């Protein structure tokens, strides 16, 4: 251990190519989270839509769970407790007030397996280019409040995929050590904007950014961009996995974060 021993924490992002089968995806997540924990990660995040990428967007509605119960939530709680980690559950479908739509929800579990915080994705993706078209609002009800929680190393801010394009959300989180971005970025928009937006969020908030992505061609024909990564507060990519299933692991160096904020005190210089 370094003299900053207690100031360093290992974190991991799981990358998946989720299928229409919830049990299959749970088995994959179980294996990859175990791999991350074995690598020393104390906090692990799963990607957006990890439990199901259905043949149609409506498939997730039939798998929506009530808050607090269901196979997906049970798996996350048990897995966090089993490995003694903070588990950020990417997103899963939770029931909403609209029977035809779900909440796209991030649930965080502590090392004791107890739920810590819930964040419902606020910004819903819509994109049309040629034959490629997406409209999340058809099957998802947007959330309305910012999500953060206190980990042993400091505050963690929660965001999901399309949220990445809205910097005001990240400012509203306050002073974070780590921001997580579970995502299922399309290959088209990912090629153009994924890394540059993630690095911008790290630079402007002078914190670590951990992005956990879907990364490959899914059974429904959709191609997601992958490139799960950890970025430091100076904007440098510390670890990345381009495509396919796997785990990205890296360290949060709090002494380095403090040095960045001291040498370039942009957060203190804010006027609005």
């Amino acid at each position: 251990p370094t003299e900053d021993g207690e100031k360093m924490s290992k974190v991991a992002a799981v990358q998946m190519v989720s299928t229409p089968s919830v049990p299959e995806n749970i088995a994959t997540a179980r294996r990859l989270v175990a791999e991350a924990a074995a690598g020393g990660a104390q906090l692990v995040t799963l990607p957006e839509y990890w439990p199901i990428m259905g043949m149609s967007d409506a498939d997730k509605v039939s798998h929506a769970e009530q808050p607090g119960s269901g196979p997906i939530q049970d798996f996350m709680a048990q897995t966090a407790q089993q490995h003694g980690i903070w588990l950020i559950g990417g997103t899963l479908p939770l029931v909403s007030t609209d029977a035809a739509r779900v909440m796209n929800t991030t649930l965080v579990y502590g090392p004791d397996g107890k739920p810590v915080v819930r964040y419902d994705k606020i910004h819903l993706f819509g994109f049309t280019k040629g034959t490629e078209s997406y409209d999340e609002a058809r099957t998802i009800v947007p959330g309305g409040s910012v999500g953060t929680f206190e980990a042993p190393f400091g505050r963690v801010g929660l965001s999901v995929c399309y949220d990445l394009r809205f910097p005001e959300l990240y400012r509203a989180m306050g002073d974070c050590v780590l921001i997580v971005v579970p995502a299922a970025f399309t290959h088209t928009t990912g090629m153009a904007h994924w890394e540059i937006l993630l690095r911008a969020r790290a630079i402007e908030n002078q914190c670590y950014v951990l992005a956990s992505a879907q990364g490959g061609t899914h059974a429904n024909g959709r191609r997601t961009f992958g490139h799960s990564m950890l970025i430091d507060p100076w904007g440098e990519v510390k670890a990345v996995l381009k495509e396919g299933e796997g785990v990205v692991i890296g360290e949060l160096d709090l002494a380095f974060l403090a040095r960045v904020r001291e040498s370039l005190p942009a957060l203190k210089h804010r006027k609005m």
Side-chain angles (χ1 to χ4, degrees):
T2 65
E3 47 192 293
D4 289 323
E6 72 283 0
K7 294 195 172 179
M8 306 196 58
S9 297
K10 271 196 175 175
V11 297
V14 167
Q15 183 161 291
M16 291 174 60
V17 188
S18 293
T19 74
S21 163
V22 173
E24 195 176 301
N25 295 327
I26 285 177
T28 301
R30 180 176 283 120
R31 174 169 50 81
L32 293 172
V33 171
E35 185 183 319
Q42 294 142 301
L43 177 148
V44 180
T45 182
L46 291 162
E48 184 181 30
Y49 298 142
W50 74 265
I52 181 164
M53 287 280 275
M55 296 308 287
S56 82
D57 281 347
D59 287 3
K60 61 182 171 283
V61 179
S62 59
H63 290 278
E65 295 184 356
Q66 292 284 350
S69 66
I72 299 168
Q73 290 168 87
D74 291 347
F75 159 75
M76 290 190 291
Q78 288 159 7
T79 302
Q81 185 178 24
Q82 180 192 345
H83 297 294
I85 57 171
W86 296 82
L87 181 63
I88 300 173
T91 68
L92 81 157
L94 286 185
V95 293
S96 75
T97 50
D98 177 346
R101 298 190 296 165
V102 299
M103 309 303 295
N104 190 17
T105 300
T106 300
L107 294 176
V108 179
Y109 295 85
D112 58 1
K114 301 266 192 328
V116 176
V117 69
R118 167 180 174 170
Y119 167 68
D120 299 318
K121 183 179 181 180
I122 292 173
H123 301 98
L124 302 184
F125 182 55
F127 176 70
T128 307
K129 188 176 183 185
T131 57
E132 204 177 355
S133 180
Y134 304 96
D135 179 11
E136 287 189 328
R138 278 201 305 254
T139 54
I140 296 172
V141 175
S145 51
V146 177
T148 65
F149 70 97
E150 298 299 326
F153 52 77
R155 182 177 297 171
V156 180
L158 304 173
S159 64
V160 177
C161 202
Y162 191 50
D163 281 337
L164 185 57
R165 296 183 184 271
F166 301 87
E168 62 277 15
L169 172 65
Y170 297 88
R171 285 298 200 217
M173 293 172 181
D175 180 354
C176 291
V177 167
L178 175 67
I179 285 167
V180 294
V181 191
F185 249 63
T186 70
H187 193 264
T188 307
T189 57
M191 284 275 289
H193 302 145
W194 173 246
E195 184 183 315
I196 200 166
L197 286 171
L198 288 168
R199 292 177 71 190
R201 298 297 86 88
I203 292 163
E204 72 201 5
N205 295 293
Q206 297 187 314
C207 69
Y208 284 89
V209 171
L210 180 67
S212 176
Q214 295 280 353
T217 302
H218 302 265
N220 59 14
R222 177 171 175 176
R223 187 178 178 195
T224 47
F225 186 58
H227 292 75
S228 295
M229 61 181 78
L230 176 67
I231 300 160
D232 76 14
W234 193 244
E236 188 182 335
V237 177
K238 304 305 285 183
V240 64
L241 174 63
K242 290 187 176 172
E243 273 197 305
E245 282 174 13
V247 174
V248 168
I249 296 189
E251 296 207 315
L252 307 184
D253 182 342
L254 301 196
F256 175 73
L257 181 144
R259 286 197 299 276
V260 167
R261 292 183 175 188
E262 198 178 333
S263 62
L264 200 163
L267 296 175
K268 288 183 181 161
H269 293 159
R270 288 171 58 198
K271 300 292 186 197
M272 56 187 77

